[in-house]
Amino acid sequence: MTLIIESGYEFWNPIIWLITFAVVMVIVYFFRKRGKEKYKKGEEQAQIFLCGEEVPGSEQRQVRGSNAYWGFFETLKEYYDGIVRLHTGIVNDYVVWFVTVVAISAIILFVVELVG
Amino acid sequence: MSLKAFKRALWVYHLNTGSCNGCDIEILAVLTPRYDVERFGIMLVGSPRHADVLLVTGPVVKQMESRVKRIYEQIPDPKLVVVVGNCGIEGGVFYESYSLAGPVDQIIPVDVYVPGCPPRPEAIIEAVVKAWVKLEKAEQGVS
């Protein structure tokens, strides 16, 4: 039984992969072992260095998905400000918008029908 | 001087706690080809996590007090603090200023003082070498 998977361009062998993984782990262990063991755990020595600033909580130092769209929202800020202002969250406002849009659509359809 | 315990290069983290930059320029001079302390294995590093020595210039202004303490705490043991310039030692021209939290040794423990306004590069090098000898003893105590 052969373990080698070949696609014609490359091959994959789990034994080679395991050997490579083991070699990498040995190298990682070597560097980790060279680190200082006697450090103050749970104190400043274990904290992130942020130019002396207090490190904020993990929820405040993450890059959120919305950060990727920062330029997009910044460019269309005026448009979004207007749109967000319209979304009041009050049902009455939404009903007014619905009735208005239906009325305008009905008038347009009526005019088109007359002209046609 | 022969080093026995501390056989690696001495890494120094430089912190300005409100200096006028006079001392900082002299520290820069220490690194230039004229003095070139890197040939002795003395090197400035960008993080206290890698440093053996904290080199402080300037008096500690109130804004910097908590930062100085935090950076000092973040340096791995054994560590030493060298204060460069009169301002860090006793306030210098900023003595009793409303914005000062105090000289450096009122905030964190100091091992070597380098007086001067600003001190000459030779004095700074001598201070770092003294710190190195002290660190050698501290290292022997730790190991």
Side-chain angles (χ1 to χ4, degrees):
Chain A
M1 187 182 75
T2 176
L3 292 169
I4 299 173
I5 299 171
E6 287 187 77
S7 70
Y9 294 100
E10 67 276 315
F11 71 94
W12 187 77
N13 185 328
I15 293 172
I16 294 175
W17 190 89
L18 282 173
I19 291 168
T20 310
F21 183 77
V23 169
V24 170
M25 289 308 288
V26 168
I27 294 168
V28 168
Y29 179 75
F30 172 73
F31 282 110
R32 189 174 168 77
K33 198 70 185 162
R34 285 175 62 88
K36 290 193 174 184
E37 291 176 1
K38 292 176 184 172
Y39 68 96
K40 293 171 185 166
K41 294 179 178 66
E43 291 185 28
E44 287 294 344
Q45 285 187 1
Q47 287 289 316
I48 298 166
F49 170 57
L50 208 62
C51 300
E53 297 293 324
E54 196 172 354
V55 180
S58 60
E59 70 282 354
Q60 288 179 318
R61 60 173 192 261
Q62 286 174 339
V63 179
R64 299 190 181 103
S66 60
N67 293 117
Y69 297 102
W70 180 84
F72 186 78
F73 287 118
E74 190 67 17
T75 311
L76 298 172
K77 195 164 61 181
E78 290 179 13
Y79 168 72
Y80 278 109
D81 283 347
I83 292 292
V84 169
R85 213 179 301 123
L86 291 177
H87 289 75
T88 56
I90 301 167
V91 177
N92 293 7
D93 293 343
Y94 295 134
V95 172
V96 168
W97 277 108
F98 177 73
V99 171
T100 309
V101 170
V102 167
I104 292 170
S105 304
I107 290 167
I108 290 170
L109 288 172
F110 183 69
V111 171
V112 168
E113 190 68 26
L114 275 182
V115 173
Chain B
M1 184 186 74
S2 61
L3 298 173
K4 289 174 185 169
F6 196 83
K7 289 182 176 175
R8 60 180 188 273
L10 189 76
W11 286 11
V12 180
Y13 181 75
H14 171 215
L15 177 66
N16 182 336
T17 57
S19 163
C20 69
N21 265 18
C23 298
D24 306 289
I25 291 169
E26 295 304 314
I27 289 169
L28 198 64
V30 167
L31 299 166
T32 56
R34 186 176 178 87
Y35 296 97
D36 192 18
V37 287
E38 284 196 14
R39 68 199 152 117
F40 305 130
I42 300 168
M43 199 171 81
L44 279 191
V45 290
S47 168
R49 305 287 289 277
H50 302 154
D52 306 299
V53 172
L54 178 63
L55 201 66
V56 185
T57 56
V60 183
V61 293
K62 284 176 182 167
Q63 294 271 357
M64 285 297 287
E65 188 180 1
S66 61
R67 275 93 174 166
V68 175
K69 285 180 186 168
R70 193 170 294 117
I71 287 173
Y72 174 76
E73 291 296 327
Q74 287 187 333
I75 297 175
D77 297 303
K79 57 191 165 194
L80 289 179
V81 178
V82 178
V83 175
V84 176
N86 286 346
C87 297
I89 295 171
E90 39 82 33
V93 293
F94 306 110
Y95 182 68
E96 288 192 338
S97 168
Y98 71 96
S99 60
L100 290 193
V104 180
D105 58 4
Q106 286 183 13
I107 315 294
I108 54 173
V110 175
D111 299 283
V112 185
Y113 297 89
V114 192
C117 186
R120 287 194 55 78
E122 291 92 336
I124 298 171
I125 295 169
E126 192 188 354
V128 174
V129 170
K130 279 183 178 169
W132 204 336
V133 173
K134 206 168 176 182
L135 205 57
E136 166 94 350
K137 289 173 187 168
E139 186 85 356
Q140 278 174 335
V142 167
S143 58

